[in-house]
Every structure is written in structure tokens, then in C-alpha cells.
Amino acid sequence: MKKEDYKNKIAAVINCSQEQIFLYWKGRVALYAILKAMGIGEGDEVIIPAFTCVVVPNAILYLGAKPIYVDITAETYNINVELIEDAITAKTKIIICQNTFGLSSDIEQIISIAKKYNLFTIEDCTHGFGGFYNGKPNGSYCDAAFYSTQWNKPFSTGIGGFSVINNPNLIDKINNLESKKLKTTLFDNVTLAALILFRKYFINRLTHYKFVQLYRFLSTKNLIIGSTQGSELTELKLPENYFKDISTIQVLAGIKRLRKLNDLNELRKINAERYTSFLSKNNKKYIDEKFFGNHLFLKYPILVKNRELFLVSAQKENVILGDWFHSPLYPVKEELTLWKFDSEKFPIATKISEKIVNLPTDVTDNTDVIRFLDNNLNLII
Ligand SMILES: *Cc1c(COP(=O)(O)O)cnc(C)c1O
């Protein structure tokens, strides 16, 4: 069974048993299953960082519960642990923490707060598969964790996701949901296979920006399998065919990509070290070496004064930069109030989202990127 093989290989990285791993069409579906297994519903509150992907509050809202945002720290881009207790009420059921760009949250502190108030914890490991927190694999600490294998995540199956369940009391409940998963269609499999091949053979530095634009356009119009469908960005209703199982294509792609994970993660660290040394030498904001042990460096975040100008110049020079979290609820830019997000209450996340740019860490040689930074130093904060 290929699925069992895939689960085994994932479990080997997280250092858990294969029975703790559950596979889904996307990472958000894994989160939704975890939330359901934790029994949340109407009126319940779930604490999440105010700097995340909109699909996280969506999964909470689809179940009738309420996302309670907590601001981040400017140093870590992760939830500010000092602010968590103020956000807890009698209705709070869960704390979700995230490893933004690959850097772990202060999980030990978060878990001790959760214990004090008898709350579940979930780690959003969509940026951190293969990384560590205090020596143990990301996803080991909380009651459950979920991962994404979408295009730009630690390893890619086009789109895809899975979870690890650490709390034994949740295993039966998650298992009960297995039979509810919808099967992928022939269209899903064929389209995804085509996209994966297309990316492999046609996407490079010179074509990247054009195709990303086209892909995002087609997927918001639901004309292609997208990372995020149209309705997920405009309304709070559970989309049709949301609770979907993983497909064969994803399982096969996953098994293949996992073989290269260690090499890729080594490369990420080497590139990150070069960025850190360049930025600190030039008195710009950088990621301190003290964070390196708990960082996977999926992306390397920097802040810039004029992002539009910065990205336009990068595009002209075919330097591939990312604009992840250009909004606190990425990628939704407007009307965050629909998601019960009040920008004024989260000044750090809001300010950072206006200035953030992410540098690639998966390139074999980041000399071009550093040269670009050097030529645009005046725009970097
Ligand atoms: C990508 C991402 C997700 C969702 O993963 P999918 O596999 O696309 O559903 C959740 N949280 C964060 C922080 C992400 O970046």
C-alpha cells in the first residue's frame, strides 16, 4: 500500500508511529479534522496568531466557532506568548501556534498556559515539516499538528496535507472521520499531475512571475485546482467538496520528494546563514543565530520601505521573491472584518504585513538574491 508507505516515511521524520498520521487533500482539511475531533462548535473560541493564512480562521468559522487573534512579536513573526492569557475566556477551547517561515513558537510556554486553563493545543506546522523545536521534530509537542505540501511548503505534492495526532484520546475521533473523506476525482488527479509536470519542466526564473499570476487568477476563478478557491477568500461557508482525501498522485509525489528533504533543509540553512551575515553586516533587520536551532528557514523574511517598488525591481531582474503575509490573513487583503479581524488591535502584525518580503532559501546559489539586496539596500529596513 503506497499510502502506508507514505505515512511511514512521514512518521520517520516526525519520529512517531504510522498510526498517528492522517492524510488529506490539503493542510487546511487536516486542521478541520483536528478541530472536529476536538469537538469544537457554535460559540467556542480558538486562539490563533494574528499573522496567518486565511484558511486557518476559515476552518474555525466553518464549524461555527470564533477565531480569537493574538498579535505576534516583531522578532519572531509568531504569536506573542505574553498576550495569550488576556485572550482566554470561559469559551476558549484551543490554542493554535504556528512555525512562521519555519521558526517555532515558544511551544513549552504555550503548553503550560494550555494546561493551566485545560485547553487543547494545535501546532500549525505548514512551514516547518522536518524542522525542530528544542531538539524534537516540529509537531511533537502539541495535542495535534498539521502540515501542508502545497507548492511552496517544505516539500511539495502540488497541493496536499497531513496531520499527526499526539493525544491518544483524539485518535478514535480522527479515525471516525476517515470514512467521511470525499474521494478525489479523475479530474483532480489528472489536473494535479499536469500541474506538477508543468512546474517541473516549464517554471524557472524567467517564467516564474508570469505563470504565478496566471495560476492565481485561474484558481480564484475555480478554473483550475488551486491552493485557495474563490469562495474561501470571500465568504465563510464551507466550500463544497472541502473534506477531501489525498489522491494517488499526491502520495506518489510525496514519497519521491521526501527523499530529498534533508538535502533541501541543509541548503535552506546555508542560504539563511548567508542572508543573516549580509544583513547584519549592513545593519539591517536579520534573524539572529540564537534562533537557528529552532528554524527551518522555509523562507527568510526581511522588511522593506516600499514593497511595491522592491518587488517590481526584483521581477525585472528575475529574482524570485515572495510576498507571503502581505496581509495578516494572507492572501485576503481587504475586509478582514468578515473574519472578525480588527487591524487596530494587532498593530505589530498589521505593520509587518505592510513591509514584509520573503527571500528564497531553496535556491542552489543565492548570490543573485544577495546582489539584488546589495543594489537595493536603501529600501531595506
Ligand atoms: C499554507 C498554509 C496553510 C494551509 O495549507 P494548505 O495545504 O494550503 O491547506 C495553513 N497555515 C499556514 C500558515 C500556511 O502557510
Side-chain angles (χ1 to χ4, degrees), residues 26-28 52-53 55-56 98 124 126-127 146 148 153 160:
K26 293 183 182 179
R28 70 201 69 179
T52 189
C53 181
V55 302
V56 173
Q98 180 174 299
D124 178 341
T126 50
H127 296 189
F146 67 100
S148 171
K153 302 297 164 89

Side-chain angles (χ1 to χ4, degrees), residues 35 41 101 108 142 170 189 214 321 352 354:
L35 294 170
F101 305 125
E108 268 155 15
C142 295
L170 297 172
N189 278 273
L214 178 67
L321 303 182
I352 284 178
E354 285 160 8

Side-chain angles (χ1 to χ4, degrees), residues 25-31 51-56 98-100 124-127 146-150 153 159-162 227-228 232 242 298 324-325 330:
W25 175 240
K26 293 183 182 179
R28 70 201 69 179
V29 184
L31 168 63
F51 195 66
T52 189
C53 181
V54 71
V55 302
V56 173
Q98 180 174 299
N99 35 43
T100 315
D124 178 341
C125 289
T126 50
H127 296 189
F146 67 100
Y147 302 79
S148 171
T149 54
Q150 187 255 9
K153 302 297 164 89
I159 54 181
F162 51 89
S227 306
T228 300
E232 296 181 276
Y242 177 85
L298 180 64
W324 285 18
F325 299 98
Y330 186 79

Side-chain angles (χ1 to χ4, degrees), residues 193-212:
L195 284 169
I196 291 172
L197 285 176
F198 190 80
R199 170 156 138 149
K200 182 164 175 197
Y201 293 108
F202 294 101
I203 305 288
N204 54 46
R205 271 182 63 196
L206 303 178
T207 59
H208 170 88
Y209 282 106
K210 280 199 185 68
F211 283 120
V212 166

